[in-house]
Every structure is written in structure tokens, then in C-alpha cells.
Amino acid sequence: MAYSLCNTVHAKGSLRTLALMVPSAAIGGTLQYGYNLSIMNAPTTYVQNFINETFTDRWGVRLNVYQVTLVWSFIVSIFSLGGLTGALIAGPMSIRFGRKKTLLLNNVFLMLSSLLALTSRAARSFEMILLSRVLVGINAGISMNVQPMYFGECAPKHLRGMLSLSSAIFTSFGVVLGQVVGLREILGSESCWEYLLASNGIPGFIQLLTLPWFPESPRYLLIDRGDKEACFKALWRLRGCEVSQSEVDEILQEKAQSEGIRPRQPWELFRDRSVRWQLLSIIVISSAMQLCGNDSIYFYAYYVFHQAGIPADMIQYITIGTGSCEFLACIVSTLLIERMGRKVLLMGGYILMTVWAVVFTVALCLEVSLAWMPYLSMACLFTYILSFGMGPAGVTGVLPTEIFTQAARPAAYMIAGFLMWFCLFILGMIFPFLVSSLGQFCFVPFSIVCLLTALYVGLNLPETKGKTLTVIASEFDRMNFKKAGSAETQPTRALYQLGEVCQTTSF
């Protein structure tokens, strides 16, 4: 069947469809990651008391402070192990069910999590909270991998970075939303903490009602399923009369390169020389996103601000400022990413984070002698989070879509997701002990991570702004086979003969 792209003025849909698809996917997607990071800070004391009461009721044993902190750290950090599991199954799910359907099926984990959290108090079981955190972690792990992939594959080239970065915007919005809902005046009180932990089911329910009305990824439909008709219908709905010949040619070019190639497995990427630098870049940048310590501030805001000298009764209000900073920074980054490029934002963000971590350390060392130093410490935390939001928060999620081909992309997201969640789990377990043992030097390890990552990005990561995926792949080919010094050693890429697509797309 032939479809005339010149007649797309009559096609149903417009860029409005694309704009509405973003919040529909994100509200039950990456928003959940940010929301579930931040809601655990408000009920810290109440859940710790609940754990102690449960131990006393069952075994007549009252835990000491260290033991309660250990159990609480495990409840908080088990979210990361769930996310790690979700990251590992996200790739196979996105290949088997498609990007959109995977996001919808992902809500099964979320709803079960909400139910367990809601009934945990009545059941007198902190284990139900533990299992709830595992399930919502799986949900977040899947959405953090699949949603940026879905957005990146649906977006036109000139909006690809901006649309992919919207995942970070909704993550930071989820952080702010969780902090606001977690206020004592709303659901952060002793009598309502189970409702707070179960409130993450509401955004998922909204997604179940809205996302089915939007199309699947055009690239997935054509390259993975070979359905040209469904692909062009999806493009028409997402672009309206904005469908361009060059965009169709790019998708067909990638399809030609993927012809006869099955989806890759994660372990295969480690043996493939043609993706060596892409893989190394993903490993470094995905690990650094968590090892920089930013998300641990949300996990343990009370510990961090208490160390900075902030009064306990003011901490819950100040934490809202941290989430708001990242939210605003991500919005600004969205406006800048297609102008300044990925590399500048990523490298600049880590350099600024290094500077603020050093200043924060100095401020903590001098807070005893200077009365205004706690306020400088607080300002450093805000600027640290701002710098994170301006670069690493959004750009990290964009990169796997841009530097890997369709066949390798799900596996790349699995590796990136595994590293992010594993590092978050390790850091979540040790962070409160890191603060107590290193004291005013607790951010020194983070400053080292940020500095080394900035150096790697500056020296080794090519800019991807405004380039087609084929051009980006060619640039990495030159890096991967540079030492061979011969073009014959580079992989042969199939080419699609560009045609007069404006007349017909009949094949």
C-alpha cells in the first residue's frame, strides 16, 4: 500500500499529539523514580518507630539506634535492587511488547506495591514495606530505561534531545511532588505515613487511562516489527503535516543497517569492538550519575542538612527547595540542550559539581568558627543540585538512544540501568555511615567522581547535537577502529538508497 507524504496535510494528528504523549508516558514513568526517592525522607522517624514496635511485639526485643538505622537503610536501598531488576528486564520487555505496551504493563508492579504499602501498618509488618519498595523499584527501573527510549524514537531529530530530556524534568518534578506531599501538613504525619507510601499508585492509574490513546514508537514498528503501514501511521499522528523526507530516510537507513541483525544481548556488547567506546561511555557516565551523590541527598536529606547545621524543624521545608532547584535546572537544560549540545552540558555540570563539593567541604570545616557557615553549606547543596540538573540529570538518559543502533539500544539501556541502580543501592546503604564517619569530608569522594567524569567526557565523548544516528555511529567507528588505521577493518554498514519519498513510500 502506498502512502503519499506530500498529502500529510490531511493526516490526523499534529505535534500536539507528541506534546500530550510526553506527560502521559512520564507521569507513570520517570516521575515515579523521583517521587519514590523523595517520599521516603518524610516518614523516616515514624517508620523507624514502627520497625522497633514490630520487633518488640513479636520478639520482645528493642533495637538500638545502629540496628534501626541499618534496617531503615536496607528498606530505603532495596528500592535500588528492585530498580536493578527492572533495568535487566526492561530490554527484553521493550523488544517483545514494544515501548508503549511495556510502560503500561509496568503498572502491575506499581499497583501491587501501593497495595502492600497501604496495608502494611494494619498487618503490623515492616516486611510488606520492604516488598513494596522492591516492586516500586522494579517499576522505576523499567520506566527509567524504556521511557527515554520511547521518547527518543518518537521525536524528530531537532527535538530529540529536548524530548528525551523531558524524562529528567518529570523525574525532578516527581521529587518536588513527593517532598510537598510528604509535608507534615499533608501526608507526612505519624497517622498518614502508610498513605504517603501508597500514594504513588495515583500517577500510575492516570497513565493507564491516557497512554493507550497514543501511538507506538515508529522506529520500533518499522525496524523491529517490519510494519511499514503502522510506522507511517504513527509518524503521521506524531508529526501531522510536519513529516519530512529526511526523517523517513533516516529510519529506513537504520532499518537497512539492522537488516538480518537480531536484537543484541548485553554480554554481546562487551565482545563487540564496534561499540567499545559507546559502551565505555555509558559505563562511566551512568555510574557517575549515582556515584556523584546527588540522589543520596534525597534519600537522606535529614542526615545531610543536620550535618550542615540546619535546625531539625526546618529540614522538611528546605528539602522542597532541593527538588525545586533540580526541577528548574532541568527545564533550563531542556531549552539549552539543542543550542549548547550534550557534551558541554554534561562536562560543565560535573565541573560545577566538583567546585561546589569542595566549597561545601570547606564550609563544613569552618562552621564552628563562623556563625554564617551553615547557610553557605546549604547554598552549596542547592548549587550542587542545580549543576546536576543542568547537565547529568538529563543528558545521561539521552545518550544510549543517540550512540547505539536499534539492535543494540535495549541492551545498552539494560547495562546503563544496571549500573545506575547498583551504584544507587551501594551508595544508599553506605551514605548515612559515610556522613557519620567522614563528617565534614563526606563530599570529598563525590568531588573526585565528578572531576574524573568531567575529564572523561571532555576527552572522549563526541558531540551528538543535530546529527543523525548514522553519522554518530560513523564517528564512533573511527574511534573504535582508530588503531587499526585501515577503513577495511571498520564494519560495513548497509545503505538505503534515498528515493523521492515525497512522491511515494511504496515498497
Side-chain angles (χ1 to χ4, degrees):
M1 184 177 181
Y3 293 95
S4 174
L5 293 185
C6 286
N7 293 328
T8 55
V9 67
H10 303 297
K12 294 182 180 179
S14 66
L15 282 176
R16 183 177 62 180
T17 302
L18 185 65
L20 292 174
M21 181 201 77
V22 170
S24 176
I27 196 170
T30 54
L31 180 141
Q32 290 288 348
Y33 173 70
Y35 188 79
N36 287 287
L37 273 181
S38 61
I39 61 172
M40 291 306 289
N41 183 59
T44 298
T45 303
Y46 309 132
V47 177
Q48 287 179 345
N49 291 337
F50 176 70
I51 293 168
N52 230 333
E53 291 169 4
T54 303
F55 269 85
T56 303
D57 292 344
R58 291 181 186 174
W59 301 292
V61 176
R62 188 159 187 85
L63 303 178
N64 59 41
V65 175
Y66 176 84
Q67 291 171 323
V68 172
T69 302
L70 186 62
V71 175
W72 171 246
S73 297
F74 192 66
I75 289 176
V76 170
S77 301
I78 200 71
F79 172 71
S80 309
L81 286 185
L84 191 152
T85 304
L88 293 178
I89 65 175
M93 285 184 68
S94 65
I95 294 170
R96 179 177 177 83
F97 301 110
R99 293 18 170 178
K100 185 184 82 169
K101 192 175 290 185
T102 296
L103 290 173
L104 291 171
L105 291 172
N106 192 27
N107 285 291
V108 173
F109 300 107
L110 180 63
M111 296 306 172
L112 288 174
S113 168
S114 297
L115 182 62
L116 286 169
L118 186 63
T119 55
S120 61
R121 191 172 193 172
R124 305 295 296 171
S125 172
F126 69 87
E127 294 89 349
M128 292 175 68
I129 301 177
L130 198 67
L131 183 56
S132 169
R133 292 292 290 175
V134 173
L135 290 173
V136 78
I138 294 174
N139 171 270
I142 293 173
S143 63
M144 288 291 285
N145 279 16
V146 177
Q147 183 186 304
M149 197 188 315
Y150 182 42
F151 286 177
E153 292 177 359
C154 288
K157 181 178 65 176
H158 68 285
L159 294 176
R160 192 172 60 221
M162 182 180 295
L163 202 66
S164 296
L165 195 58
S166 65
S167 297
I169 291 178
F170 277 91
T171 299
S172 56
F173 176 67
V175 169
V176 178
L177 184 62
Q179 291 168 340
V180 172
V181 174
L183 289 173
R184 283 191 295 269
E185 294 81 357
I186 304 179
L187 292 180
S189 62
E190 196 280 333
S191 60
C192 297
W193 61 261
E194 71 271 29
Y195 300 106
L196 174 63
L197 299 184
S199 60
N200 51 24
I202 297 174
F205 182 71
I206 295 174
Q207 184 186 72
L208 287 172
L209 293 178
T210 57
L211 189 58
W213 300 97
F214 296 97
E216 179 57 89
S217 157
R219 289 180 183 274
Y220 170 78
L221 291 171
L222 181 61
I223 299 174
D224 288 291
R225 288 180 49 185
D227 193 336
K228 298 186 185 73
E229 181 177 349
C231 170
F232 290 120
K233 283 184 178 179
L235 279 174
W236 285 347
R237 290 190 62 194
L238 292 169
R239 308 285 187 274
C241 58
E242 298 295 328
V243 178
S244 65
Q245 174 182 334
S246 60
E247 182 176 8
V248 175
D249 285 339
E250 182 191 350
I251 298 176
L252 292 171
Q253 175 82 22
E254 190 172 357
K255 176 176 172 56
Q257 293 173 355
S258 303
E259 204 70 50
I261 302 176
R262 60 175 178 79
R264 310 288 295 280
Q265 298 298 326
W267 54 86
E268 293 176 333
L269 299 187
F270 287 94
R271 300 195 299 262
D272 189 349
R273 182 177 180 179
S274 67
V275 295
R276 179 178 297 171
W277 278 101
Q278 294 98 310
L279 187 60
L280 182 59
S281 298
I282 290 301
I283 290 172
V284 171
I285 295 170
S286 298
S287 300
M289 185 175 179
Q290 299 302 343
L291 295 179
C292 71
N294 184 80
D295 287 345
S296 294
I297 296 175
Y298 298 127
F299 267 157
Y300 299 109
Y302 180 85
Y303 291 94
V304 176
F305 285 114
H306 180 73
Q307 182 69 35
I310 306 302
D313 59 336
M314 295 298 296
I315 289 178
Q316 69 162 341
Y317 302 105
I318 293 174
T319 54
I320 295 177
T322 62
S324 300
C325 278
E326 185 174 338
F327 180 53
L328 292 174
C330 286
I331 293 176
V332 173
S333 182
T334 301
L335 301 176
L336 295 177
I337 191 169
E338 296 300 345
R339 295 185 180 184
M340 299 180 65
R342 286 67 159 153
K343 184 173 182 176
V344 172
L345 290 179
L346 195 60
M347 183 173 61
Y350 278 118
I351 290 174
L352 288 174
M353 290 169 73
T354 304
V355 172
W356 297 124
V358 172
V359 177
F360 179 66
T361 302
V362 173
L364 289 181
C365 292
L366 298 177
E367 68 176 4
V368 177
S369 55
L370 297 173
W372 52 271
M373 275 298 165
Y375 300 100
L376 177 60
S377 301
M378 184 174 66
C380 287
L381 287 177
F382 281 115
T383 50
Y384 191 85
I385 293 170
L386 275 170
S387 303
F388 177 80
M390 288 286 288
V395 179
T396 303
V398 177
L399 286 179
T401 297
E402 296 190 326
I403 67 178
F404 284 93
T405 62
Q406 186 82 4
R409 197 171 294 138
Y413 268 106
M414 288 172 66
I415 294 170
F418 173 85
L419 289 169
M420 286 172 59
W421 287 102
F422 179 74
C423 292
L424 183 61
F425 172 73
I426 297 300
L427 203 57
M429 283 296 294
I430 68 172
F431 191 80
F433 303 102
L434 191 69
V435 172
S436 60
S437 59
L438 294 182
Q440 62 265 38
F441 299 104
C442 60
F443 264 65
V444 171
F446 303 142
S447 65
I448 295 173
V449 170
C450 292
L451 179 60
L452 293 177
T453 306
L455 289 173
Y456 176 86
V457 172
L459 295 174
N460 299 302
L461 187 67
E463 180 55 73
T464 61
K465 181 190 73 171
K467 299 175 181 177
T468 65
L469 302 182
T470 304
V471 170
I472 295 169
S474 298
E475 289 189 12
F476 272 104
D477 282 345
R478 287 194 291 272
M479 294 175 62
N480 291 323
F481 297 93
K482 180 169 58 177
K483 291 185 179 180
S486 172
E488 284 76 21
T489 61
Q490 297 187 21
T492 302
R493 296 190 179 275
L495 296 177
Y496 162 71
Q497 182 64 43
L498 303 182
E500 193 63 24
V501 183
C502 194
Q503 296 177 359
T504 180
T505 58
S506 178
F507 295 98

